[in-house]
Amino acid sequence: MESKKNTISVLMLPWLAHGHISPFLELAKKLANRNFHIYMVSTPVNLSSIKKRVTEKYSQSIELVEIHLPSLPNLPPYYHTTNGLPPHLMNTLKTAFEMAAPNFSKILQTRNPDLVIYDYNQPWAADSASSLNIPAVQFLTFGAAVVSLAIHMSENTEDKFPFPEIYLREYEMLSLKEAVNEAPGNQFPLNEALRRSREIILVKTYRDFEGKYMNYLSNLVSKKIVPVGSLVQESIDQDDHEEITQWLDKKEKCSTVFVSFGSEYFLSKEQRHAVAEGLELSKVNFIWVIRFPQGEGINIRDALPEGFLERVGERGMVMEGWAPQATILQHPSIGGFVSHCGWSSFMESMKFGVPIIAMPMHLDQPMNARLVEYVGMGVEAVRDENGKLQSEEIAKVIRKVIVEKSGEAVRKKARELSEKMNMKGDEEIDSVVEELVALCSNK
């Protein structure tokens, strides 16, 4: 422990979802490379899933710290994560996490970090840190545009949102309001939770890309908004996925779409069939990762239209559970990403120059999809008036992005954004370090 005397120690508490834990861990690595010591706090089931990503290089500077949630009915320890969690248990998980606040306080007292970095729906973490005179900073794994719109909506302002390119259709608005209203732990309005952050708020974005939204968000919450960059996960253990790589190697350059709707969303039967029919009609190569809630016992063949796998043959690879997304998106044969437009997926697409076929599902994803189209690096597959996916539309958009001449502007824009992002390197992180050091010096 002597080696840590001259470092700043940071305790991180992400929400219990892979889409949140992953950027927190990537931020931890960036800070560890700059002489910070990190305590990454999560439930045992989540920590076991990221343990191999804390490679030997980081073994001395990133410590994984378990937080135990109280026992609640229908929520055994293997459900102390959103990964594979049946949707009806999401609110129970949020309640259990909030009830673990006393355990979090004990961890703070034991580790005594210089700083806490916490997630958007955990204002209680800031309160625990404040009671021990430890500065706490919120880290948003969403984009600044989306958070700005959410606050704008919650404050019921009569003014129009000043960025008309970011909007919600009626059924999307209803879905978002329902999700917000049902969530325990959300008794704090988002703007109030953000204002609890000490002086600054970290956001997973780039100033070049979201500068105007960052400025607006800063005015809304009276805090300095500090971008941390894309925090795209490093590709590791490529040998473990040789079958995928070999299959992709046989495909022509930019001829294939990767299809994934993230680790948090499970397609309904109707949605699965619409996507399958769209892929079949497109006549484009695809690799599709499908997920089901834990314990549902569905197999892929039964989940898809009868005869689908036989009809697509070698043109398609369908796999269940998890796929090495960053590795796949970097492969030369990938020419498009059929995506739910989760923010991490958006950032990965941009980093690797892969245009998006946008099919947002819920929460921030519809707003991200509008942003994808606005910046010109993707096309949204428009739904019918009831919000249902349309297989013909899916096929049409896939063909436009991958094959047709009309999609060249989208393909070019994706390449340009990738080049711009990769030129910046870790420029944003250097500013983050300055801000965090200053904060700890003034506490």
Side-chain angles (χ1 to χ4, degrees), residues 16-23 46 50 53 81-82 233 263-264 322:
L16 305 172
H18 176 75
H20 291 246
I21 294 167
S22 186
N46 277 323
I50 63 167
R53 288 174 54 194
T81 173
T82 63
Q233 181 181 331
S263 57
E264 307 299 308
W322 183 84

Side-chain angles (χ1 to χ4, degrees), residues 99-353:
M99 288 168 68
N103 292 346
F104 179 67
S105 290
K106 287 176 188 169
I107 292 169
L108 285 179
Q109 290 165 34
T110 304
R111 306 289 171 159
N112 192 28
D114 298 304
L115 175 74
V116 167
I117 298 179
Y118 65 102
D119 216 330
Y120 80 107
N121 59 352
Q122 289 134 227
W124 48 267
D127 294 341
S128 296
S130 180
S131 69
L132 297 168
N133 198 32
I134 300 170
V137 170
Q138 189 158 122
F139 171 35
L140 295 172
T141 57
F142 307 107
V146 163
V147 177
S148 298
L149 178 58
I151 294 174
H152 185 91
M153 284 165 47
S154 70
E155 294 194 334
N156 294 317
T157 175
E158 291 182 10
D159 297 331
K160 279 189 175 179
F161 188 60
F163 310 108
E165 67 272 13
I166 309 298
Y167 63 91
L168 287 174
R169 299 182 176 102
E170 190 175 347
Y171 65 85
E172 294 165 338
M173 184 84 75
L174 290 171
S175 174
L176 180 62
K177 284 182 176 175
E178 187 179 318
V180 170
N181 292 337
E182 284 182 359
N186 285 3
Q187 69 269 41
F188 297 96
L190 178 60
N191 54 348
E192 185 184 328
L194 286 169
R195 286 171 187 142
R196 286 169 182 243
S197 184
R198 187 78 72 89
E199 275 102 52
I200 64 172
I201 294 168
L202 305 178
V203 181
K204 180 180 165 176
T205 193
Y206 285 95
R207 184 168 295 281
D208 283 357
F209 177 59
E210 277 207 302
K212 65 180 181 179
Y213 310 118
M214 285 170 52
N215 292 338
Y216 185 66
L217 178 58
S218 179
N219 290 333
L220 285 175
V221 297
S222 304
K223 301 282 179 188
K224 184 175 183 180
I225 306 301
V226 180
V228 302
S230 67
L231 301 180
V232 168
Q233 181 181 331
E234 300 169 336
S235 294
I236 56 172
D237 297 335
Q238 297 208 24
D239 292 343
D240 292 353
H241 312 290
E242 217 173 304
E243 182 192 357
I244 297 170
T245 307
Q246 287 175 355
W247 185 87
L248 287 168
D249 286 345
K250 295 174 187 172
K251 307 304 176 192
E252 291 181 20
K253 185 179 179 183
C254 297
S255 68
T256 306
V257 289
F258 175 52
V259 186
S260 174
F261 294 89
S263 57
E264 307 299 308
Y265 189 83
F266 308 109
L267 296 177
S268 67
K269 180 180 178 181
E270 183 182 46
Q271 289 170 332
R272 283 196 303 271
H273 280 231
V275 172
E277 287 160 14
L279 290 168
E280 189 174 346
L281 284 169
S282 75
K283 297 192 167 33
V284 165
N285 302 327
F286 64 89
I287 180 166
W288 182 8
V289 56
I290 299 181
R291 296 176 178 90
F292 308 110
Q294 281 187 34
E296 289 213 348
I298 305 172
N299 69 60
I300 284 178
R301 189 167 288 277
D302 291 341
L304 297 170
E306 190 174 345
F308 170 76
L309 293 173
E310 289 74 19
R311 289 193 299 275
V312 297
E314 264 299 299
R315 184 161 67 77
M317 173 184 262
V318 184
M319 53 195 300
E320 183 183 348
W322 183 84
Q325 182 162 301
T327 301
I328 292 170
L329 288 174
Q330 289 176 78
H331 195 281
S333 74
I334 295 294
F337 184 9
V338 175
S339 174
H340 65 315
C341 293
W343 192 243
S344 290
S345 291
F346 188 167
M347 290 284 111
E348 284 188 346
S349 263
M350 194 184 301
K351 183 173 178 64
F352 301 133

